[in-house]
Amino acid sequence: MMAEDRFWEVISLLGGAVSEDSALRLDRAIRRLTPADASDFMDHLTRKLSDLTELPLEGIPVSDITDPEDVEPLPLVGDSLRYFYYAVIASGKDSYKDVKESPSNISKKRWDFSESELFIEVVSAILWENDGTQWESVDPTASTQCPGENAESEAEEPWWYAPTHGTINVKLPMNYRQAIVKVTEAINTSKKWKSWWRESSLDHLDADILIGTNRPSVVFKLGRKALKAEFEMGPSRFENKGPSELMDLALEEVQYVMNKVADRLKLGPVPPIAEIREEIHRTHT
């Protein structure tokens, strides 16, 4: 079991705040740990984050060092609150204890939490590589929503398919983005598609889709509860396409993605994509 002081020794490599350089130092330090110590480090971190979430910090106005001095500090809510939790850890053992003992005093100093997201990125990548577990599933500061869940009511099941799109020298047309949203919603709420995905015994399919590359490729990263799929797709075919044709492209994309996933996981044939088109027409016209 990693000792408490050893945990703070590793954290001290951040130098009191998260930056690109300090995040790189932290990343290297954690990767040098034994698998058991790396796991213990994550446990220490989640417990301390959990303790911070129990404090009445939400809504307290706090200044970041990047804020102009003549501007009123904004209250800690949403992402800023989450990043502040990580900044408190990064600031070191003594500062962490001070916050726990006197949470209302956090407004009396200027903090450095504008790059705290890099802290999250480091531990997310390492936990996934070491254990196949998504950091969001164990991080007590994370939203309880799963990817895409904000588009549905709380009473419904979390979405299992969450695509994200990036481009190289290509601009995604707004109508294409809208088509992707409609297709994703239909896939996630379709009983046939949900039944097909259950064959995988996984919770999520996270697809990162990069459009505009010259060398199309697919890379899969299989975790305990999720499959990450990284797709690089060829140059754009969006030119001079209307809404209906862009919907066709969005459907072709998801058909391609799901066929590749089915092959990788040895799943049965994907459900008919034509039924997704019909569902979109029924619900959006």
Side-chain angles (χ1 to χ4, degrees), residues 20 32 45 48 65-67 73 80 91 100 108 113 122 160 174-176 205 218 226 233 251 260:
E20 289 188 6
R32 285 196 295 266
L45 180 58
K48 287 169 175 53
I65 62 170
T66 61
D67 296 336
S80 67
S91 65
K100 287 190 65 177
K108 295 181 178 180
F113 58 97
V122 167
W160 57 269
M174 181 56 66
N175 283 326
Y176 186 74
L205 167 59
V218 184
M233 297 187 174
L251 290 166
K260 291 292 186 182

Side-chain angles (χ1 to χ4, degrees), residues 240-261:
N240 304 314
K241 297 289 195 301
S244 178
E245 294 167 306
L246 291 171
M247 175 59 74
D248 291 341
L249 289 179
L251 290 166
E252 289 176 13
E253 175 188 288
V254 77
Q255 178 84 67
Y256 173 78
V257 167
M258 296 304 175
N259 283 338
K260 291 292 186 182
V261 168

Side-chain angles (χ1 to χ4, degrees), residues 100-111:
K100 287 190 65 177
E101 292 171 2
S102 305
S104 61
N105 287 342
I106 62 173
S107 60
K108 295 181 178 180
K109 62 176 283 188
R110 290 166 67 82
W111 292 80

Side-chain angles (χ1 to χ4, degrees), residues 1-213:
M1 179 69 181
M2 174 183 279
E4 178 90 0
D5 286 345
R6 177 57 177 147
F7 168 80
W8 287 114
E9 184 179 315
V10 175
I11 289 295
S12 70
L13 295 173
L14 289 169
V18 184
S19 65
E20 289 188 6
D21 288 341
S22 69
L24 181 58
R25 292 196 298 270
L26 179 67
D27 181 89
R28 289 171 175 168
I30 300 174
R31 292 179 187 279
R32 285 196 295 266
L33 298 173
T34 66
D37 281 349
S39 178
D40 288 345
F41 177 90
M42 299 299 180
D43 289 342
H44 275 292
L45 180 58
T46 55
R47 285 198 299 271
K48 287 169 175 53
L49 289 168
S50 180
D51 288 345
L52 290 175
T53 64
E54 297 297 319
L55 301 176
L57 303 181
E58 186 171 9
I60 296 179
V62 172
S63 293
D64 182 80
I65 62 170
T66 61
D67 296 336
E69 293 190 9
D70 58 346
V71 173
E72 288 292 318
L74 296 175
L76 292 174
V77 293
D79 285 342
S80 67
L81 177 60
R82 186 186 188 199
Y83 297 157
F84 181 78
Y85 292 138
Y86 282 86
V88 172
I89 302 290
S91 65
K93 181 179 181 180
D94 292 341
S95 182
Y96 171 79
K97 290 174 66 176
D98 289 344
V99 170
K100 287 190 65 177
E101 292 171 2
S102 305
S104 61
N105 287 342
I106 62 173
S107 60
K108 295 181 178 180
K109 62 176 283 188
R110 290 166 67 82
W111 292 80
D112 188 348
F113 58 97
S114 61
E115 294 190 280
S116 290
E117 188 175 7
L118 297 175
F119 195 160
I120 300 174
E121 291 178 1
V122 167
V123 293
S124 295
I126 293 175
L127 184 64
W128 175 267
E129 292 169 16
N130 289 355
D131 192 42
T133 299
Q134 292 180 308
W135 179 249
E136 300 286 323
S137 69
V138 299
D139 181 2
T141 75
S143 168
T144 56
Q145 291 181 328
C146 293
E149 190 177 358
N150 60 328
E152 21 171 28
S153 72
E154 294 182 0
E156 296 176 342
E157 294 181 38
W159 285 11
W160 57 269
Y161 174 52
T164 58
H165 289 75
T167 62
I168 297 177
N169 298 323
V170 174
K171 183 177 180 180
L172 290 185
M174 181 56 66
N175 283 326
Y176 186 74
R177 292 182 181 276
Q178 293 172 345
I180 289 294
V181 170
K182 293 174 182 177
V183 170
T184 303
E185 178 183 9
I187 290 286
N188 277 286
T189 56
S190 165
K191 291 182 179 180
K192 284 187 178 180
W193 280 87
K194 286 191 287 188
S195 176
W196 172 79
W197 178 246
R198 288 192 191 102
E199 295 178 27
S200 71
S201 299
L202 299 173
D203 291 344
H204 305 295
L205 167 59
D206 300 328
D208 294 331
I209 301 169
L210 182 63
I211 297 174
T213 64

